Amino acid sequence: MAKSGNWLYGATGKIAGMSLRKDPHRGFIIRDIVKPKNPKTPKQMLQRLFMATVVLAYKYLKVVCCRSFEGIAEGFPSMCQFRRLNLNMLRQRVITSEANGGTVDDAGPFTPLGGFQLVPQPYYVSQGTLPAVTVVLPRDHLRLAQIPDVADNSYQALLDAYGLLRGDRLTFITLQGPSPDRQQCHIATIVLDPHRADGLRAPLTVPFVASDGSVNLPSPLNDGHHTTFVYHPATDDDLGHSLTYGYDTGTVTAAGIVVTRLSGTTRLHSTCQLTVRQVQSSR
C-alpha cells in the first residue's frame, strides 16, 4: 500500500493492476489488486467436504450441542468445540480408512459442497465427565435405537443400568428419515424425576414407559416430543431386557443420548458420540 500526493488529480478505480481510492485525511490510497486463489488439490477439497459436513451437522444438532460441552460456555465457544472435535474425528476416520487399504468413501458419506444433506456420522454431540448411556442400532429393527441392559420398565432400572441419579436429564437423539440422503434430527428430552399430577414426587419404581409409548408420570421440565418408547422384556423378542426409542419416519441412521446434571451452578454432561448404522455412501 502507498500514499500518493496530488498528481493523480482525483483519479479513482483500477489502473495497471492497482486500485485507487481517495482518503479525505491521507490523500490517495493505492493498493495492489490481489486475486485470491481457489486451490483444488485433493487435500484441500477434502478439507472443504469436512467443513461442509460439520457446519451442516451443527445446524441440525445446535439445540443440543450449543450447551453440551462441559466447562465450555454456551453458544459460540460450544460451536467451536463441536467443529474442532468433529473435524478431527473426520480426518482420523479417513486416515484410518486409507491405512487399512480403504478409500475416503469408506470413511462415511460427506455433505457435498453447497449441499443440504444431513449425513450420518459418529458426531460428538457432548463432552463431559458423567456416565455415558449406551445406544446400539439393532440390525433387524431399523426404526429403533436400543438402550440395552435395562432390567425392567421403571425409572429406577434406567438409573441403575448406567449409574445415573434422580433428576438427571436425558436428551434422546436420532437421525432418521426415509433414505440416507433425507435425514432429519429428532430430539426428545426426559427428566428422570417423575411427578404425580399434584406435583409431588412419585417413587422411582413407577413404570418409565406408558402403554401408549409415552413417558409415564413426566417431570414438568419434559419437552413435548413425538418419540415413541418401548420396553422389551427378555422373553418378548430378540432385543432382550432393553428400552428402545425412535421417531416413525424411516430408518435410524445414527442415534445417541446426552446425560445432563446440574451440580450447584455447574452443568455437567456425559460424552456422547453418535452410534452410526452402516449405510451406503451418498457421494
Side-chain angles (χ1 to χ4, degrees), residues 49-129:
L49 283 179
F50 290 164
M51 182 59 74
T53 301
V54 169
V55 167
L56 189 64
Y58 184 80
K59 177 181 178 181
Y60 281 93
L61 295 163
K62 179 180 178 179
V63 66
V64 176
C65 300
C66 70
R67 64 188 72 182
S68 292
F69 295 94
E70 195 172 297
I72 296 178
E74 181 178 339
F76 182 76
S78 287
M79 179 190 72
C80 291
Q81 182 69 355
F82 176 89
R83 290 185 178 183
R84 185 180 304 113
L85 287 173
N86 288 295
L87 286 172
N88 288 338
M89 179 271 295
L90 292 179
R91 293 189 193 104
Q92 189 57 51
R93 283 174 64 84
V94 170
I95 291 171
T96 301
S97 174
E98 292 178 339
N100 292 329
T103 65
V104 170
D105 286 338
D106 296 325
F110 302 102
T111 298
L113 297 180
F116 298 95
Q117 300 174 4
L118 174 62
V119 298
Q121 281 281 5
Y123 303 111
Y124 282 97
V125 294
S126 67
Q127 187 179 46
T129 56

Side-chain angles (χ1 to χ4, degrees), residues 1-3 19-23 26-31:
M1 181 180 72
K3 177 180 175 183
S19 67
L20 290 75
R21 67 179 178 85
K22 187 175 181 180
D23 187 305
R26 299 192 294 168
F28 287 85
I29 303 298
I30 304 174
R31 294 179 184 272

Side-chain angles (χ1 to χ4, degrees), residues 4-258:
S4 77
N6 295 323
W7 61 274
L8 293 173
Y9 298 106
T12 60
K14 300 178 181 179
I15 182 173
M18 297 181 292
S19 67
L20 290 75
R21 67 179 178 85
K22 187 175 181 180
D23 187 305
H25 303 293
R26 299 192 294 168
F28 287 85
I29 303 298
I30 304 174
R31 294 179 184 272
D32 290 331
I33 298 175
V34 178
K35 295 183 179 180
K37 295 181 179 180
N38 182 24
K40 295 183 179 181
T41 66
K43 185 175 180 180
Q44 289 158 328
M45 292 301 292
L46 187 58
Q47 175 63 20
R48 293 175 188 177
L49 283 179
F50 290 164
M51 182 59 74
T53 301
V54 169
V55 167
L56 189 64
Y58 184 80
K59 177 181 178 181
Y60 281 93
L61 295 163
K62 179 180 178 179
V63 66
V64 176
C65 300
C66 70
R67 64 188 72 182
S68 292
F69 295 94
E70 195 172 297
I72 296 178
E74 181 178 339
F76 182 76
S78 287
M79 179 190 72
C80 291
Q81 182 69 355
F82 176 89
R83 290 185 178 183
R84 185 180 304 113
L85 287 173
N86 288 295
L87 286 172
N88 288 338
M89 179 271 295
L90 292 179
R91 293 189 193 104
Q92 189 57 51
R93 283 174 64 84
V94 170
I95 291 171
T96 301
S97 174
E98 292 178 339
N100 292 329
T103 65
V104 170
D105 286 338
D106 296 325
F110 302 102
T111 298
L113 297 180
F116 298 95
Q117 300 174 4
L118 174 62
V119 298
Q121 281 281 5
Y123 303 111
Y124 282 97
V125 294
S126 67
Q127 187 179 46
T129 56
L130 293 183
V133 176
T134 301
V135 174
V136 297
L137 301 183
R139 181 179 300 177
D140 298 327
H141 302 268
L142 300 182
R143 294 181 179 232
L144 300 176
Q146 180 187 14
I147 310 167
D149 304 322
V150 181
D152 60 57
N153 182 23
S154 69
Y155 280 83
Q156 190 66 60
L158 189 52
L159 297 179
D160 292 343
Y162 294 100
L164 306 179
L165 300 178
R166 181 171 189 149
D168 284 352
R169 181 169 177 159
L170 302 187
T171 301
F172 297 82
I173 304 167
T174 60
L175 303 189
Q176 196 163 359
S179 63
D181 60 350
R182 295 179 60 192
Q183 296 292 290
Q184 292 292 324
C185 179
H186 302 287
I187 295 170
T189 303
I190 307 299
V191 179
L192 300 179
D193 191 13
H195 285 63
R196 296 191 179 95
D198 59 8
L200 296 178
R201 277 185 161 187
L204 292 172
T205 54
V206 299
F208 179 75
V209 181
S211 59
D212 63 354
S214 64
V215 175
N216 196 38
L217 300 180
S219 159
L221 294 178
N222 287 349
D223 300 330
H225 60 81
H226 300 284
T227 299
T228 299
F229 295 83
V230 177
Y231 177 72
H232 303 264
T235 56
D236 234 17
D237 51 34
D238 59 344
L239 292 172
H241 287 303
S242 66
L243 179 70
T244 61
Y245 70 98
Y247 188 99
D248 192 22
T249 58
T251 299
V252 176
T253 56
I257 297 174
V258 177

